[in-house]
Amino acid sequence: MAAASAPKEQVIGKLNVRVVRGNNLAICDPLTHTSDPYVVLQYDGQKVKTSVQKKNPNPVWNEVLQISVTNPTKPVHLEVFDEDKFTADDTMGVAEINIIDVYDAAKLSLSHATNGTRIKTIYPVGVNYLGGESHVHWKDGKVVQDMILKLKNVESGLIVVQLEWVHVPGVKL
């Protein structure tokens, strides 16, 4: 007799992650002194990725990747890779994106807020991956958080992302 599968967690919202750009990423191809980076986001069994930016340690993606959120206390895992043709892709650093701040702001009644209102500031501390202050704000009727992530397990590299909470119809936060 097959075991019953665990019930799927309810989606409480969606998160648009705009992967804006990378800065000073690691050089993984010694012959060309460059890299072919792309970003992979993983969350709760979901995996999405950006396009590959050829020969560019300072890539601009400006791509929106969407994930379904089931538990706001679980971080989004971000990893940057260097695409290789003949061998496995090289890792170029990792970071975790804490989504609890954007989730908490999405629960607020902000219809009265003026465009650009700053809801919260998160400071870089030893336990997070922030490379600078991160601000959650109300922009064009949406809760948005700008982040600069400092990559770990690598000699250099920053990734700039913007989170945007997307309400799911019928779900009360």
Side-chain angles (χ1 to χ4, degrees), residues 67-85:
I67 55 174
S68 298
V69 177
T70 53
N71 180 345
T73 63
K74 288 182 183 174
V76 176
H77 181 76
L78 177 146
E79 190 163 5
V80 183
F81 290 94
D82 171 50
E83 183 183 61
D84 287 325
K85 285 206 181 349

PDB file of all heavy atoms in Angstrom, residues 67-85:
ATOM      1  N   ILE A  67       7.779  33.127  -7.966  1.00  0.00           N
ATOM      2  CA  ILE A  67       7.628  31.906  -7.168  1.00  0.00           C
ATOM      3  C   ILE A  67       6.342  32.012  -6.348  1.00  0.00           C
ATOM      4  O   ILE A  67       5.905  33.103  -6.001  1.00  0.00           O
ATOM      5  CB  ILE A  67       8.836  31.652  -6.242  1.00  0.00           C
ATOM      6  CG1 ILE A  67       9.106  32.845  -5.352  1.00  0.00           C
ATOM      7  CG2 ILE A  67      10.062  31.277  -7.032  1.00  0.00           C
ATOM      8  CD1 ILE A  67      10.172  32.608  -4.321  1.00  0.00           C
ATOM      9  N   SER A  68       5.753  30.861  -6.052  1.00  0.00           N
ATOM     10  CA  SER A  68       4.573  30.792  -5.195  1.00  0.00           C
ATOM     11  C   SER A  68       5.039  30.606  -3.766  1.00  0.00           C
ATOM     12  O   SER A  68       5.835  29.710  -3.479  1.00  0.00           O
ATOM     13  CB  SER A  68       3.692  29.616  -5.613  1.00  0.00           C
ATOM     14  OG  SER A  68       3.232  29.800  -6.929  1.00  0.00           O
ATOM     15  N   VAL A  69       4.531  31.443  -2.862  1.00  0.00           N
ATOM     16  CA  VAL A  69       4.954  31.420  -1.463  1.00  0.00           C
ATOM     17  C   VAL A  69       3.945  30.631  -0.637  1.00  0.00           C
ATOM     18  O   VAL A  69       2.739  30.894  -0.707  1.00  0.00           O
ATOM     19  CB  VAL A  69       5.100  32.852  -0.907  1.00  0.00           C
ATOM     20  CG1 VAL A  69       5.479  32.827   0.569  1.00  0.00           C
ATOM     21  CG2 VAL A  69       6.129  33.639  -1.708  1.00  0.00           C
ATOM     22  N   THR A  70       4.460  29.679   0.128  1.00  0.00           N
ATOM     23  CA  THR A  70       3.618  28.896   1.030  1.00  0.00           C
ATOM     24  C   THR A  70       3.928  29.190   2.492  1.00  0.00           C
ATOM     25  O   THR A  70       3.067  29.078   3.346  1.00  0.00           O
ATOM     26  CB  THR A  70       3.824  27.388   0.784  1.00  0.00           C
ATOM     27  OG1 THR A  70       5.227  27.102   0.868  1.00  0.00           O
ATOM     28  CG2 THR A  70       3.289  26.981  -0.587  1.00  0.00           C
ATOM     29  N   ASN A  71       5.159  29.563   2.786  1.00  0.00           N
ATOM     30  CA  ASN A  71       5.581  29.812   4.156  1.00  0.00           C
ATOM     31  C   ASN A  71       6.580  30.973   4.150  1.00  0.00           C
ATOM     32  O   ASN A  71       7.713  30.802   3.710  1.00  0.00           O
ATOM     33  CB  ASN A  71       6.228  28.553   4.731  1.00  0.00           C
ATOM     34  CG  ASN A  71       6.690  28.735   6.162  1.00  0.00           C
ATOM     35  OD1 ASN A  71       6.790  29.850   6.671  1.00  0.00           O
ATOM     36  ND2 ASN A  71       7.000  27.635   6.813  1.00  0.00           N
ATOM     37  N   PRO A  72       6.177  32.142   4.633  1.00  0.00           N
ATOM     38  CA  PRO A  72       7.043  33.321   4.548  1.00  0.00           C
ATOM     39  C   PRO A  72       8.301  33.241   5.420  1.00  0.00           C
ATOM     40  O   PRO A  72       9.197  34.060   5.261  1.00  0.00           O
ATOM     41  CB  PRO A  72       6.135  34.467   4.986  1.00  0.00           C
ATOM     42  CG  PRO A  72       5.116  33.823   5.852  1.00  0.00           C
ATOM     43  CD  PRO A  72       4.898  32.451   5.284  1.00  0.00           C
ATOM     44  N   THR A  73       8.370  32.254   6.308  1.00  0.00           N
ATOM     45  CA  THR A  73       9.585  32.134   7.122  1.00  0.00           C
ATOM     46  C   THR A  73      10.682  31.352   6.402  1.00  0.00           C
ATOM     47  O   THR A  73      11.825  31.341   6.848  1.00  0.00           O
ATOM     48  CB  THR A  73       9.293  31.469   8.480  1.00  0.00           C
ATOM     49  OG1 THR A  73       8.833  30.135   8.249  1.00  0.00           O
ATOM     50  CG2 THR A  73       8.252  32.262   9.262  1.00  0.00           C
ATOM     51  N   LYS A  74      10.336  30.706   5.286  1.00  0.00           N
ATOM     52  CA  LYS A  74      11.350  29.991   4.495  1.00  0.00           C
ATOM     53  C   LYS A  74      12.033  30.980   3.563  1.00  0.00           C
ATOM     54  O   LYS A  74      11.353  31.714   2.836  1.00  0.00           O
ATOM     55  CB  LYS A  74      10.703  28.897   3.632  1.00  0.00           C
ATOM     56  CG  LYS A  74      10.209  27.702   4.369  1.00  0.00           C
ATOM     57  CD  LYS A  74       9.646  26.691   3.368  1.00  0.00           C
ATOM     58  CE  LYS A  74       9.066  25.484   4.056  1.00  0.00           C
ATOM     59  NZ  LYS A  74       8.407  24.579   3.098  1.00  0.00           N
ATOM     60  N   PRO A  75      13.364  31.009   3.550  1.00  0.00           N
ATOM     61  CA  PRO A  75      14.049  31.925   2.640  1.00  0.00           C
ATOM     62  C   PRO A  75      14.082  31.381   1.207  1.00  0.00           C
ATOM     63  O   PRO A  75      13.939  30.177   0.984  1.00  0.00           O
ATOM     64  CB  PRO A  75      15.464  32.001   3.217  1.00  0.00           C
ATOM     65  CG  PRO A  75      15.656  30.674   3.876  1.00  0.00           C
ATOM     66  CD  PRO A  75      14.300  30.273   4.403  1.00  0.00           C
ATOM     67  N   VAL A  76      14.272  32.278   0.267  1.00  0.00           N
ATOM     68  CA  VAL A  76      14.503  31.913  -1.130  1.00  0.00           C
ATOM     69  C   VAL A  76      16.009  31.735  -1.287  1.00  0.00           C
ATOM     70  O   VAL A  76      16.785  32.609  -0.901  1.00  0.00           O
ATOM     71  CB  VAL A  76      13.991  33.006  -2.092  1.00  0.00           C
ATOM     72  CG1 VAL A  76      14.334  32.659  -3.537  1.00  0.00           C
ATOM     73  CG2 VAL A  76      12.489  33.203  -1.924  1.00  0.00           C
ATOM     74  N   HIS A  77      16.421  30.598  -1.825  1.00  0.00           N
ATOM     75  CA  HIS A  77      17.847  30.328  -2.039  1.00  0.00           C
ATOM     76  C   HIS A  77      18.238  30.863  -3.417  1.00  0.00           C
ATOM     77  O   HIS A  77      17.601  30.531  -4.413  1.00  0.00           O
ATOM     78  CB  HIS A  77      18.110  28.824  -1.947  1.00  0.00           C
ATOM     79  CG  HIS A  77      19.544  28.454  -2.135  1.00  0.00           C
ATOM     80  ND1 HIS A  77      20.491  28.632  -1.156  1.00  0.00           N
ATOM     81  CD2 HIS A  77      20.203  27.963  -3.207  1.00  0.00           C
ATOM     82  CE1 HIS A  77      21.662  28.236  -1.612  1.00  0.00           C
ATOM     83  NE2 HIS A  77      21.515  27.833  -2.867  1.00  0.00           N
ATOM     84  N   LEU A  78      19.264  31.698  -3.450  1.00  0.00           N
ATOM     85  CA  LEU A  78      19.759  32.263  -4.707  1.00  0.00           C
ATOM     86  C   LEU A  78      21.166  31.739  -4.929  1.00  0.00           C
ATOM     87  O   LEU A  78      21.985  31.726  -4.006  1.00  0.00           O
ATOM     88  CB  LEU A  78      19.780  33.788  -4.619  1.00  0.00           C
ATOM     89  CG  LEU A  78      20.328  34.563  -5.807  1.00  0.00           C
ATOM     90  CD1 LEU A  78      19.571  35.872  -5.976  1.00  0.00           C
ATOM     91  CD2 LEU A  78      21.811  34.837  -5.699  1.00  0.00           C
ATOM     92  N   GLU A  79      21.443  31.278  -6.147  1.00  0.00           N
ATOM     93  CA  GLU A  79      22.794  30.846  -6.485  1.00  0.00           C
ATOM     94  C   GLU A  79      23.130  31.357  -7.880  1.00  0.00           C
ATOM     95  O   GLU A  79      22.295  31.340  -8.775  1.00  0.00           O
ATOM     96  CB  GLU A  79      22.919  29.325  -6.433  1.00  0.00           C
ATOM     97  CG  GLU A  79      24.357  28.850  -6.547  1.00  0.00           C
ATOM     98  CD  GLU A  79      24.571  27.413  -6.091  1.00  0.00           C
ATOM     99  OE1 GLU A  79      23.581  26.729  -5.756  1.00  0.00           O
ATOM    100  OE2 GLU A  79      25.732  26.974  -6.078  1.00  0.00           O
ATOM    101  N   VAL A  80      24.352  31.847  -8.017  1.00  0.00           N
ATOM    102  CA  VAL A  80      24.840  32.328  -9.308  1.00  0.00           C
ATOM    103  C   VAL A  80      25.765  31.262  -9.869  1.00  0.00           C
ATOM    104  O   VAL A  80      26.601  30.710  -9.147  1.00  0.00           O
ATOM    105  CB  VAL A  80      25.593  33.665  -9.161  1.00  0.00           C
ATOM    106  CG1 VAL A  80      26.035  34.183 -10.527  1.00  0.00           C
ATOM    107  CG2 VAL A  80      24.727  34.695  -8.457  1.00  0.00           C
ATOM    108  N   PHE A  81      25.605  30.967 -11.157  1.00  0.00           N
ATOM    109  CA  PHE A  81      26.430  29.973 -11.828  1.00  0.00           C
ATOM    110  C   PHE A  81      27.111  30.584 -13.043  1.00  0.00           C
ATOM    111  O   PHE A  81      26.611  31.537 -13.635  1.00  0.00           O
ATOM    112  CB  PHE A  81      25.572  28.789 -12.317  1.00  0.00           C
ATOM    113  CG  PHE A  81      25.043  27.918 -11.225  1.00  0.00           C
ATOM    114  CD1 PHE A  81      23.777  28.136 -10.699  1.00  0.00           C
ATOM    115  CD2 PHE A  81      25.805  26.869 -10.732  1.00  0.00           C
ATOM    116  CE1 PHE A  81      23.281  27.325  -9.691  1.00  0.00           C
ATOM    117  CE2 PHE A  81      25.312  26.051  -9.716  1.00  0.00           C
ATOM    118  CZ  PHE A  81      24.047  26.284  -9.201  1.00  0.00           C
ATOM    119  N   ASP A  82      28.232  29.986 -13.415  1.00  0.00           N
ATOM    120  CA  ASP A  82      28.925  30.293 -14.667  1.00  0.00           C
ATOM    121  C   ASP A  82      28.635  29.148 -15.618  1.00  0.00           C
ATOM    122  O   ASP A  82      28.953  27.994 -15.319  1.00  0.00           O
ATOM    123  CB  ASP A  82      30.435  30.409 -14.422  1.00  0.00           C
ATOM    124  CG  ASP A  82      31.218  30.498 -15.721  1.00  0.00           C
ATOM    125  OD1 ASP A  82      30.856  31.336 -16.573  1.00  0.00           O
ATOM    126  OD2 ASP A  82      32.187  29.731 -15.886  1.00  0.00           O
ATOM    127  N   GLU A  83      28.024  29.464 -16.756  1.00  0.00           N
ATOM    128  CA  GLU A  83      27.697  28.434 -17.735  1.00  0.00           C
ATOM    129  C   GLU A  83      28.968  27.956 -18.437  1.00  0.00           C
ATOM    130  O   GLU A  83      29.779  28.758 -18.893  1.00  0.00           O
ATOM    131  CB  GLU A  83      26.713  28.974 -18.772  1.00  0.00           C
ATOM    132  CG  GLU A  83      26.289  27.914 -19.772  1.00  0.00           C
ATOM    133  CD  GLU A  83      25.380  28.453 -20.844  1.00  0.00           C
ATOM    134  OE1 GLU A  83      25.819  29.356 -21.597  1.00  0.00           O
ATOM    135  OE2 GLU A  83      24.242  27.979 -20.926  1.00  0.00           O
ATOM    136  N   ASP A  84      29.134  26.630 -18.489  1.00  0.00           N
ATOM    137  CA  ASP A  84      30.261  26.024 -19.187  1.00  0.00           C
ATOM    138  C   ASP A  84      29.716  25.079 -20.245  1.00  0.00           C
ATOM    139  O   ASP A  84      28.714  24.404 -20.029  1.00  0.00           O
ATOM    140  CB  ASP A  84      31.162  25.249 -18.209  1.00  0.00           C
ATOM    141  CG  ASP A  84      31.973  26.186 -17.315  1.00  0.00           C
ATOM    142  OD1 ASP A  84      32.369  27.266 -17.793  1.00  0.00           O
ATOM    143  OD2 ASP A  84      32.188  25.837 -16.148  1.00  0.00           O
ATOM    144  N   LYS A  85      30.392  25.036 -21.381  1.00  0.00           N
ATOM    145  CA  LYS A  85      29.926  24.177 -22.478  1.00  0.00           C
ATOM    146  C   LYS A  85      30.262  22.694 -22.266  1.00  0.00           C
ATOM    147  O   LYS A  85      29.469  21.835 -22.538  1.00  0.00           O
ATOM    148  CB  LYS A  85      30.544  24.649 -23.792  1.00  0.00           C
ATOM    149  CG  LYS A  85      29.911  25.921 -24.327  1.00  0.00           C
ATOM    150  CD  LYS A  85      30.062  25.987 -25.824  1.00  0.00           C
ATOM    151  CE  LYS A  85      29.496  27.198 -26.482  1.00  0.00           C
ATOM    152  NZ  LYS A  85      28.667  28.083 -25.769  1.00  0.00           N
TER     153      LYS A  85
END
